[in-house]
Amino acid sequence: MPTHRFFATTFKGLEDVLAGEIAALGGEEISGGAGSVAFSGDMALCFRANLWLRSANRVVLLLSEFPAPTPAALYEGASGIPWAELFSPDRTIAVDATVRDSGITHSHFAAQKTKDAIVDRFRETAGRRPDVDAKSPEVRIVVRIVRDECAVSLDTSGESLNRRGYRANPSEASLKETLAAGLLLLAGWQGDEPLIDPACGAGTIPIEAALIAGNVAPGSLGRGFGFQRLLGFDRKRWEELLSEAREAARHPVPVRIEGSDISPAAVAGAMKNADAAKINERVLFNARAVRNFDPGEGPGTILCNPPYGVRLPGGGEVEAFYREMGEALKKRCRGWTAYLLSGNSAVTRFLGLKASRKFPVMNGPIDCRLLKYELY
């Protein structure tokens, strides 16, 4: 199979984690950028990347790179791509564009110009054009123009890879699945020791931990992918890779994974999510205030994404939450290593603990730190 160039996107701060995942899958010529990792391989690697990568949000296939200092140059470069060889005009499309430090200054204009080039090329070569569906396209084209250099790619993932398929009601406030998995990998957790989240919310961290411990491919839970809608899609190879992934899953997993939350409704939702992910027998959830958190003697890993704001959803004060968590960590977690994702250093100081390491990580637009605490 021919070799292609791909880019996998992730959260800033997780580039090294993602690069390690790609290397383990057999990717070559791996290089990291801000929030992305470039690599080379064949389409079978693209399938495996979408199936197995835990910390990637998308995997895109590079189609062409060319100078685009003007709208005419962008149109000409995009027109030179043999679109009708890539997907059928029966597919709906959308173009996502970003521009930076370039003669073309508006991303919406860049997207529109690229779309015009695509549909005009289809009319010339196929006699008809694909329709645009901005919300749920079957094929998504990604355009990136930086300092007048344009890269045009195809999104092989379709929906973002954080959409594993097990969260019934994903909300913007919840920790994304890909970030939860990335934090586990950043913390060095490999499924061989206890993992507890004392503020689990929707249960995303414990569920991702169970998928890691069980060697479950996150893309094997029933979702679809963008590459399945491209011409030449090798269905037989994809089904072989899916079958191999299911064979590779380990059952059962003899490791303690737990999540707790003060909200019984959140715990009920977490249990539903675990059931949808088919790992409900591997994770224990319970309703418990953080002041009652007592995991017993370590070793093990505590990892959570506590609230960043001034007030808790139920009206409680975040300061009190952090003071209670700090007391629990100091008094009842001897031998454990705790990792807290902090989006507000003004409140994490109420823990009364000194972090041994601080890993910069972006949680969407929020500049965070994954704080590591050694609990002796």
Side-chain angles (χ1 to χ4, degrees), residues 19-64:
E21 287 195 85
I22 292 168
L25 290 178
E28 298 181 344
E29 299 178 281
I30 299 168
S31 60
S36 69
V37 177
F39 62 102
S40 296
D42 59 18
M43 283 305 292
L45 176 63
C46 174
F47 294 175
R48 288 198 302 275
N50 279 285
L51 180 60
W52 280 101
L53 290 178
R54 300 184 189 278
S55 61
N57 290 320
R58 293 186 183 278
V59 178
V60 302
L61 164 65
L62 180 65
L63 299 177
S64 181

Side-chain angles (χ1 to χ4, degrees), residues 94-115:
V95 180
D96 292 343
T98 56
V99 297
R100 195 177 80 231
D101 304 330
S102 299
I104 298 173
T105 57
H106 295 288
S107 58
H108 180 74
F109 177 78
Q112 184 69 31
K113 203 70 180 173
T114 305
K115 186 270 296 180

Side-chain angles (χ1 to χ4, degrees), residues 225-243:
F225 298 91
F227 59 74
Q228 293 172 296
R229 303 172 196 129
L230 302 179
L231 294 176
F233 165 55
D234 190 342
R235 185 177 302 278
K236 182 182 177 185
R237 184 72 183 109
W238 170 240
E239 288 176 353
E240 288 172 353
L241 291 170
L242 265 181
S243 178

Side-chain angles (χ1 to χ4, degrees), residues 37 72 146 174 226-227 249 288:
V37 177
V146 179
S174 297
F227 59 74
R288 176 179 57 193

Side-chain angles (χ1 to χ4, degrees), residues 25-326:
L25 290 178
E28 298 181 344
E29 299 178 281
I30 299 168
S31 60
S36 69
V37 177
F39 62 102
S40 296
D42 59 18
M43 283 305 292
L45 176 63
C46 174
F47 294 175
R48 288 198 302 275
N50 279 285
L51 180 60
W52 280 101
L53 290 178
R54 300 184 189 278
S55 61
N57 290 320
R58 293 186 183 278
V59 178
V60 302
L61 164 65
L62 180 65
L63 299 177
S64 181
E65 291 180 298
F66 50 86
T70 64
L74 172 60
Y75 181 92
E76 183 180 356
S79 297
I81 297 168
W83 295 104
E85 296 175 14
L86 298 169
F87 57 90
S88 164
D90 297 325
R91 298 293 186 186
T92 57
I93 66 168
V95 180
D96 292 343
T98 56
V99 297
R100 195 177 80 231
D101 304 330
S102 299
I104 298 173
T105 57
H106 295 288
S107 58
H108 180 74
F109 177 78
Q112 184 69 31
K113 203 70 180 173
T114 305
K115 186 270 296 180
D116 291 345
I118 294 168
V119 299
D120 289 350
R121 178 70 189 260
F122 262 105
R123 284 196 190 97
E124 292 172 10
T125 57
R128 54 200 177 100
R129 52 154 287 182
D131 290 329
V132 173
D133 183 344
K135 289 187 176 179
S136 301
E138 293 175 296
V139 177
R140 190 179 298 275
I141 296 99
V142 181
V143 176
R144 190 166 185 263
I145 307 174
V146 179
R147 290 185 288 277
D148 292 334
E149 289 295 321
C150 180
V152 179
S153 305
L154 268 181
D155 180 357
T156 70
S157 300
E159 270 198 306
S160 174
L161 295 177
N162 71 280
R163 301 280 183 156
R164 312 284 205 222
Y166 64 74
R167 285 231 308 249
N169 298 301
S171 72
E172 290 305 311
S174 297
L175 192 71
K176 283 187 165 50
E177 296 88 329
T178 44
L179 179 54
L183 295 176
L184 285 159
L185 298 175
L186 185 61
W189 193 80
Q190 298 178 331
D192 54 359
E193 67 174 16
L195 184 286
I196 303 181
D197 180 352
C200 71
T204 311
I205 288 172
I207 291 169
E208 290 296 322
L211 296 176
I212 291 172
N215 199 37
V216 177
S220 68
L221 300 176
R223 56 160 288 158
F225 298 91
F227 59 74
Q228 293 172 296
R229 303 172 196 129
L230 302 179
L231 294 176
F233 165 55
D234 190 342
R235 185 177 302 278
K236 182 182 177 185
R237 184 72 183 109
W238 170 240
E239 288 176 353
E240 288 172 353
L241 291 170
L242 265 181
S243 178
E244 289 169 11
R246 290 175 183 134
E247 287 292 318
R250 295 191 289 265
H251 304 282
V253 182
V255 63
R256 177 187 175 193
I257 301 173
E258 296 179 13
S260 60
D261 198 280
I262 194 171
S263 165
V267 170
M271 291 171 71
K272 282 185 181 178
N273 291 337
D275 188 53
K278 299 180 176 63
I279 51 84
N280 53 313
E281 294 180 358
R282 307 180 205 174
V283 183
L284 177 66
F285 289 106
N286 56 73
R288 176 179 57 193
V290 73
R291 64 176 172 273
N292 299 322
F293 179 56
D294 186 357
E297 195 160 321
T301 298
I302 296 163
L303 175 60
C304 72
N305 176 42
Y308 307 156
V310 177
R311 298 187 70 84
L312 292 166
E317 297 292 336
V318 167
E319 178 182 339
F321 174 90
Y322 277 88
R323 289 191 187 279
E324 290 171 356
M325 175 172 276

